Amino acid sequence: MKAKIFVVLCISAALSACAGNKSEEQLVNTNQTAQAAYNDAKDVLDSGLYSRAIELLKAMESRFPFGPVARQVQLDLIYAYHQAGDSKQCLASIDRFIRLNPNHPDLDYVYFMRGLTNQKTDDNSFQEFFGVDRADRDLASTRQAFDDFKILTSTFPNSRYAADGQARMQEIKEKLVRHELLIADYYSRRGAHLAAANRAKYVVEFHRDSPQVAKALQVMVSSYDQLGLTKLRDDAKAVLDQNFPQS
C-alpha cells in the first residue's frame, strides 16, 4: 500500500513539474519574433496587469538580450516594477540600466523614475489618505529622491520631465524642513535645547525660502533663552521681528 502511495506521489510531482515547465516555456512563444513578443508583453503592460507583464518582459529579456527591442524591454520593466510597487527591483533595474547605457537618449526618463521610486519608498498612502504627517520618519529615500530629481533637472534641463522634477524637489524640500523642525521639537521637549537650536538654525541657513523659517526662528529664540544665551536669542528675535512681524 505504501509503495502504491509513493508511486502516485511521484507521478503527481512529475506531472506538476511538467505543467510548470510548460507554463514557463509558453511565456514567450518560440515561433514569435522579438517585435511580436514585445507587442504582446506591451499589451499586457498597458492593460495594467503588471505582475504578468513583468513575467513576460523578463522572459523576453532572457530570450532576446541583444535584440532590437532589448533596451525598450528594460525601460518597460522599470515602469512595471514601479507600478507593481516593487521598489527594490525597480531601483536595481534602474541602476543596471544607467550603468550599461550611460548615453541612452531616454536617460532623463530613467532618472525621473528613480526619483519617483525613491520618493514612493518613503510614502505611506494609507496614512497620507487620513492626513497623517509622516515627516518624523527616517527620510533617507526621500533625500535620495531629491538628488535624483536634481540630476534630472541639472543634466537634462530641456527634458519633458524637468518641470515635474523641479516641482517635486520643492515638495521634498518642505518635507525635509518639517522633518528638521519635528526633530527640533523632540529635542526641546526633552531639554536638549542646544540640539534643538542647531536643527532650527540649519533650516534658517539652508532653506531660507521655506514658509517654515519663521517657526525655525521661534525655536531658536526659545532654545537660546532656555540656555541663557541672550545675545544669540536677541539676534534670532531681531531677524524674526524684521522678517515676520506677524509671527
Side-chain angles (χ1 to χ4, degrees), residues 48 87 121 182:
S87 298
T121 299
L182 281 169

Side-chain angles (χ1 to χ4, degrees), residues 7-77:
V7 171
V8 170
L9 289 174
C10 288
I11 293 173
S12 298
L15 289 173
S16 297
C18 290
N21 290 338
K22 184 177 181 181
S23 176
E24 192 71 26
E25 290 170 359
Q26 289 176 342
L27 286 175
V28 176
N29 189 326
T30 55
N31 295 321
Q32 281 184 309
T33 63
Q35 186 62 56
Y38 171 73
N39 291 342
D40 288 347
K42 188 67 166 60
D43 287 342
V44 174
L45 180 63
D46 291 343
S47 70
L49 300 174
Y50 301 117
S51 295
R52 179 60 177 170
I54 289 169
E55 292 178 350
L56 293 172
L57 290 167
K58 285 175 66 178
M60 274 206 66
E61 193 175 33
S62 296
R63 187 169 175 223
F64 305 107
F66 306 109
V69 295
R71 297 296 175 267
Q72 188 58 51
V73 167
Q74 293 170 12
L75 290 170
D76 286 346
L77 262 175

